Amino acid sequence: MTATTWRPLAVVLLCGAIAGWTAQGWRKDASIADLQRAAAAQKSTAATALAQATARVLTLERATGAALAQRADHLTQEQTHAKTERERFNDDVRSGAVRLSIPVASGQCAATADTAATAGHWHEARAKLEPATAAALDAIAGDGDDATRQLNACIDAYNLVRDTYHVQTE
């Protein structure tokens, strides 16, 4: 090959290489742009899904908070009502409107007393309780009732949260 034949061929090959390089760059740029558009679309979709999920959770939290507050108010009302009833009962015991007594077994354990007599409660010996003793027993029973109400409120709150958020317990 002579130099005159080789030069045009080199120029053609060089131009072809430059054109190929440029075309490859355009395709690469187009592929990158397509990937960027797809990534932006996925990012937008994910952001929308996240926003919707967050809104659902916030709505659940608000509803659960309101329900828990309502349950707490209900518990407070129950406790106030029970306290009022206990105070009324204690006032009635102190005034003598209500008299409390317990069965008394003479010479034998109350657990082994005659069941026929205790079933009718007519011939049963009884001992009257002093108002202070009755109030002390009522306070013990009232504390137990308050604890039961509080535990039931805790169970209700637990069940509400479990059911609201569909928590699996095992």
Side-chain angles (χ1 to χ4, degrees), residues 15-155:
C15 288
I18 291 172
W21 185 267
T22 303
Q24 179 66 18
W26 290 335
R27 283 197 327 240
K28 176 187 62 86
D29 290 344
S31 293
I32 290 173
D34 287 344
L35 288 173
Q36 287 174 336
R37 278 190 295 278
Q42 287 177 346
K43 184 177 178 181
S44 175
T45 302
T48 302
L50 177 62
Q52 290 172 345
T54 301
R56 278 193 310 273
V57 168
L58 289 176
T59 301
L60 285 174
E61 284 180 355
R62 282 187 214 105
T64 303
L68 289 173
Q70 183 180 12
R71 181 62 187 118
D73 290 344
H74 183 69
L75 174 62
T76 301
Q77 291 172 355
E78 285 179 337
Q79 288 175 322
T80 301
H81 177 71
K83 182 179 178 187
T84 303
E85 290 297 315
R86 276 196 310 270
E87 289 171 354
R88 183 177 303 135
F89 175 78
N90 284 329
D91 289 345
D92 288 346
V93 168
R94 277 192 288 278
S95 72
V98 172
R99 290 182 288 173
L100 298 177
S101 63
I102 57 171
V104 188
S106 57
Q108 54 181 315
C109 179
T112 61
D114 184 15
T115 56
T118 57
H121 298 287
W122 299 111
H123 304 297
E124 184 175 54
R126 301 195 65 81
K128 181 182 172 194
L129 293 177
E130 293 294 323
T133 304
L137 290 174
D138 184 58
I140 292 169
D143 289 346
D145 290 345
D146 285 344
T148 300
R149 274 189 291 281
Q150 291 172 355
L151 288 173
N152 285 336
C154 286
I155 291 168

